[in-house]
Amino acid sequence: MTLAYYNKPFSPDVIAGFFRAIVRVPGALLAVLLTFLVFIPINLVLPPEPRRKNRAAFQKFLMSLLLRILGVRVIRKGTPPAEKSFFIANHLGVIDVFTVMAETGARLIAKDSLSRIPLFGTFMKLFGVIFIRRDSLEDMHRVAEEMKKAYDEGDPLAFFPEGTTSRGEGIRTFLGALFLPAVLSGAPVYYATIRFHVPSPRWPLASVCACQVGGTNFIRHLVLLAFLPRTEVHITYGEEPLAGLRRKELVSALESRMIGQFQVMDQLSDDELKELFPPSARESLKLKSRPFLEKR
């Protein structure tokens, strides 16, 4: 089947995807609204410690539900961290945000543009997400202080140290400043690598239709995910956490472990990408981002 087939608005697969999307997207919105109708009143009357556990439980429930509604199946190897800790993973798109929040129940560190998305930004704030302006060193210091305070108060934390997404070509260099709270707290840092797979030969590679790169609009990307018959998230947890290292040593050790564990996703050539999704291709090809690390 040629790549141009998927650009035809009335192809059978696109029509089937449209009907999936008009069921899944309203279903996801309804799930968010109903969850918060229960979550907010309960949270208002609970003391701090039960409130923390309540937040984590509702977060896991809602994110797992959203993944199921969107046709996403999580395939895990290993075990999520059970203790209070810092958790990191590579970043491919919105699915891994939902996956990490569902798997760990941790408070997430996320880019500040997500806070401005209608409805989604609101529930991210209610779940205690700490937003960061990644282009500001001063803001990174503020976020580091908030992270340490949250951890000291009993919250696990999760973030994507690459600072941006990719199409699964590799692991990007890490933003080292985000690891300072873990070093100061002496906390264990757990890690996992994530890859996407679309198990249907009738749809393009997951690196194209499931990853979110090049400044792709969040809502448009979410709708595209809802079009797909099914998406698999393969998450592989590291065997042992790292702790007791200096910041640069910690970053280097985590980069090495994740590079060794990560499986590169299949890719389209630049010409094929232009043929399939011209606007996304232009955004992706001009994207200036953090470089990929080489295997050590």
Side-chain angles (χ1 to χ4, degrees):
M1 191 175 295
T2 63
L3 292 173
Y5 168 84
Y6 299 100
N7 290 333
K8 296 180 179 178
F10 299 109
S11 67
D13 290 286
V14 172
I15 292 172
F18 172 77
F19 282 108
R20 279 191 292 267
I22 62 175
V23 172
R24 287 173 172 173
V25 173
L29 293 174
L30 183 61
V32 171
L33 290 172
L34 290 178
T35 300
F36 277 105
L37 284 175
V38 178
F39 170 76
I40 294 173
I42 293 177
N43 223 41
L44 289 173
V45 300
L46 289 175
E49 188 56 34
R51 188 184 305 151
R52 185 175 294 113
K53 294 178 180 178
N54 180 59
R55 179 205 58 77
F58 269 92
Q59 176 178 303
K60 287 184 175 183
F61 169 78
L62 177 58
M63 295 303 168
S64 297
L65 181 60
L66 287 176
L67 289 171
R68 286 196 292 271
I69 290 172
L70 292 171
V72 177
R73 179 188 176 197
V74 178
I75 301 173
R76 66 184 62 79
K77 182 178 179 182
T79 308
E83 61 180 325
K84 185 181 74 168
S85 61
F86 287 77
F87 178 81
I88 66 167
N90 60 297
H91 195 17
L92 303 172
V94 68
I95 309 178
D96 52 39
V97 173
F98 291 174
T99 301
V100 167
M101 293 180 77
E103 291 275 296
T104 66
R107 289 182 62 182
L108 191 70
I109 295 24
K111 60 183 181 181
D112 68 329
S113 59
L114 292 179
S115 67
R116 297 189 290 272
I117 298 172
L119 189 62
F120 181 78
T122 301
F123 84 70
M124 292 281 276
K125 291 174 185 176
L126 289 171
F127 277 149
V129 171
I130 300 172
F131 294 102
I132 181 173
R133 296 200 317 273
R134 293 179 303 197
D135 58 347
S136 168
L137 185 60
E138 182 180 340
D139 199 52
M140 282 196 179
H141 289 307
R142 174 192 63 81
V143 169
E145 291 177 4
E146 282 194 43
M147 289 170 68
K148 186 175 185 308
K149 180 182 177 183
Y151 181 82
D152 291 343
E153 290 176 350
D155 287 320
L157 292 157
F159 60 96
F160 300 100
E162 293 171 300
T164 189
T165 55
S166 75
R167 292 197 189 277
E169 304 100 317
I171 301 293
R172 296 189 189 275
T173 56
F174 288 176
L175 292 167
L178 292 175
F179 291 90
L180 185 59
V183 173
L184 294 176
S185 301
V189 180
Y190 288 79
Y191 63 95
T193 50
I194 296 173
R195 68 191 305 272
F196 298 157
H197 177 58
V198 176
S200 172
R202 298 184 64 80
W203 282 87
L205 298 174
S207 57
V208 175
C209 57
C211 294
Q212 181 185 6
V213 297
T216 306
N217 177 274
F218 174 86
I219 301 298
R220 185 175 65 187
H221 179 65
L222 201 63
V223 171
L224 175 58
L225 291 174
F227 263 72
L228 302 176
R230 193 177 83 201
T231 307
E232 294 177 353
V233 177
H234 294 255
I235 180 166
T236 303
Y237 292 95
E239 294 182 1
E240 296 290 338
L242 289 175
L245 299 174
R246 295 186 179 184
R247 182 170 61 88
K248 289 186 178 180
E249 294 171 343
L250 177 63
V251 170
S252 179
L254 287 166
E255 286 177 340
S256 294
R257 289 195 181 189
M258 289 180 66
I259 291 169
Q261 183 174 287
F262 182 71
Q263 292 182 311
V264 175
M265 294 170 59
D266 294 334
Q267 304 290 321
L268 293 178
S269 69
D270 290 349
D271 289 340
E272 289 174 318
L273 190 60
K274 289 175 184 176
E275 181 184 355
L276 183 59
F277 291 125
S280 297
R282 285 195 296 271
E283 291 172 342
S284 181
L285 293 173
K286 73 182 182 182
L287 180 66
K288 293 182 179 179
S289 194
R290 303 183 67 78
F292 289 100
L293 294 160
E294 296 182 4
K295 239 179 173 35
R296 299 173 183 175

